Amino acid sequence: MKKLLKQTLRSALQNCEKHPDNREALTRILPLAKQEYRARAQRQSIPFGGFLVRQIRFLGKRVWFSQALLLLLLCLLVNSGYNIRSGITSLTFVPFLLGCCSVLLLTAAVPMLYRSVRFQMLETEAAARFSVSRLLLARLCIIGSGDLVMLTALLLFAIQKSGLSAGGILLYLLVPFLLTASGYLTILAHMAYRLFPYLGSTLSACLLAGLYYLKKWQPAFYGHTFTPGWGMICLILLLFCMRQVKTISRRDRFMEGQFHLG
């Protein structure tokens, strides 16, 4: 194949040397070039909704299937935690376990978000007609919708399985989840894409260590329930996440080369 390509190129270059001023060919090419230019100028961009639907067809099934398997494993883990609890550990171990599960929900998304760099396809995606930031937002929507379903399923499972209050379970699931999401989105919005798996994994490890610290030395924390104060904190974290998503949508130059893709 390479030999044939070399021969074709050599023949084409030799013909160019023989006919350096081929006005007839130029006359034929110019109208075609103008026609292609007009067609590209009239081409309409794909709305984000349509682009998201295409990405769901391409990635949605695999992502949601992986998340379903993770949900099954987390439910088994929570069920084991309820079965082994005894005495005072029931007041700290189960809420601690729920907090860890909410962090792991997003930690499992790191390979999915980093797959372009991992498979060395980011430069190809950056050269495509759509921007890398739109592709990243579509992946975030797919992963985020699956995470919300998983979070709701864990909440219902924990309410049915334990004697803990629904407010307490919601608190221990929602706050670590929003903290992890805030950190991940901040990294994606302001850091180089190639650093995301390392910074994201470090963030998750720090949050898990913080939850363990609270269990070990501040067990009173796991006696709280969902109050208006905690609701305000969750609202602030949610608004912060929305702001970071907006920043990601406007950072085409960041995503497409200004700050080193990978």
Side-chain angles (χ1 to χ4, degrees), residues 181-242:
S182 300
Y184 279 12
L185 292 173
T186 301
I187 294 170
L188 290 172
H190 300 285
M191 302 292 180
Y193 198 19
R194 57 188 170 84
L195 299 177
F196 173 68
Y198 311 106
L199 296 177
S201 300
T202 302
L203 172 65
S204 297
C206 291
L207 288 174
L208 292 173
L211 291 172
Y212 180 78
Y213 170 82
L214 292 174
K215 174 183 176 296
K216 191 74 175 178
W217 286 283
Q218 300 292 333
F221 170 79
Y222 292 106
H224 290 88
T225 187
F226 198 85
T227 61
W230 283 111
M232 184 61 65
I233 292 175
C234 291
L235 179 60
I236 293 173
L237 289 173
L238 181 60
L239 292 175
F240 181 79
C241 289
M242 295 172 63

Side-chain angles (χ1 to χ4, degrees), residues 45-106:
S45 60
I46 303 173
F48 182 73
F51 179 71
L52 178 59
V53 170
R54 296 186 182 187
Q55 288 301 310
I56 289 175
R57 292 175 181 173
F58 180 65
L59 287 174
K61 293 181 180 180
R62 284 180 289 180
V63 171
W64 290 334
F65 179 74
S66 301
Q67 289 178 322
L69 291 179
L70 176 62
L71 176 62
L72 178 61
L73 292 175
L74 292 179
C75 287
L76 292 175
L77 180 63
V78 172
N79 185 62
S80 301
Y82 288 132
N83 289 335
I84 67 175
R85 73 185 191 277
S86 61
I88 189 66
T89 59
S90 63
L91 301 177
T92 58
F93 181 72
V94 173
F96 162 73
L97 196 59
L98 292 174
C100 291
C101 287
S102 65
V103 174
L104 292 175
L105 286 181
L106 286 171

Side-chain angles (χ1 to χ4, degrees), residues 1-18:
M1 185 65 181
K2 291 183 179 179
K3 185 177 180 180
L4 178 61
L5 178 60
K6 288 181 180 179
Q7 291 176 351
T8 305
L9 288 175
R10 186 181 295 110
S11 175
L13 290 173
Q14 290 174 354
N15 291 333
C16 286
E17 293 176 357
K18 293 178 181 178

Side-chain angles (χ1 to χ4, degrees), residues 131-177:
S131 66
V132 179
S133 61
R134 292 184 69 193
L135 180 59
L136 179 58
L137 286 175
R139 288 174 178 167
L140 287 173
C141 289
I142 294 171
I143 295 171
S145 61
D147 283 338
L148 289 178
V149 172
M150 295 168 69
L151 201 65
T152 304
L154 276 175
L155 175 65
L156 297 176
F157 180 80
I159 291 175
Q160 181 182 8
K161 191 70 179 178
S162 74
L164 297 175
S165 65
I169 295 173
L170 179 63
L171 172 65
Y172 305 130
L173 284 175
L174 194 58
V175 172
F177 181 85

Side-chain angles (χ1 to χ4, degrees), residues 32-44:
L32 296 175
K34 292 179 181 179
Q35 181 180 354
E36 178 63 20
Y37 177 79
R38 294 192 191 97
R40 290 180 64 87
Q42 296 174 357
R43 185 181 296 167
Q44 296 180 353

